[in-house]
Amino acid sequence: PDGMRQYLADGLKWVQQRWPTWRVLAAAVHLDETTPHLQIIAAPVAEDGHFRGSRALGGPSDMSRHQDEFHAAVG
């Protein structure tokens, strides 16, 4: 449990550093599979106040890179 709390804290910190203007809506450590994993739901907010997920992430091609960087920093 203590390791999972730290994993959650580290994951939230990583998201907040990478995307400081995003709003974290929910976060949880899941133990329902062989490998524990973290789910963070966050919403990017554009200057006009609207949700702009694809623009904020750099498009689908960058998502794999973000996952790899997260694993290297937190996993």
Side-chain angles (χ1 to χ4, degrees):
D2 288 335
M4 290 296 118
R5 277 192 266 279
Q6 188 62 53
Y7 178 57
L8 177 60
D10 291 346
L12 286 169
K13 182 179 175 182
W14 184 87
V15 168
Q16 291 165 340
Q17 288 174 337
R18 179 143 321 225
W19 298 291
T21 62
W22 287 32
R23 302 294 178 257
V24 173
L25 306 175
V29 174
H30 292 273
L31 305 173
D32 60 333
E33 297 178 11
T34 304
T35 303
H37 54 282
L38 178 62
Q39 177 187 34
I40 297 176
I41 301 172
V45 180
E47 292 163 5
D48 63 3
H50 290 88
F51 175 76
R52 300 278 189 254
S54 61
R55 185 182 305 162
L57 289 174
S61 62
D62 282 348
M63 194 60 197
S64 179
R65 181 178 53 81
H66 292 309
Q67 289 175 318
D68 292 343
E69 290 173 358
F70 178 85
H71 180 71
V74 180

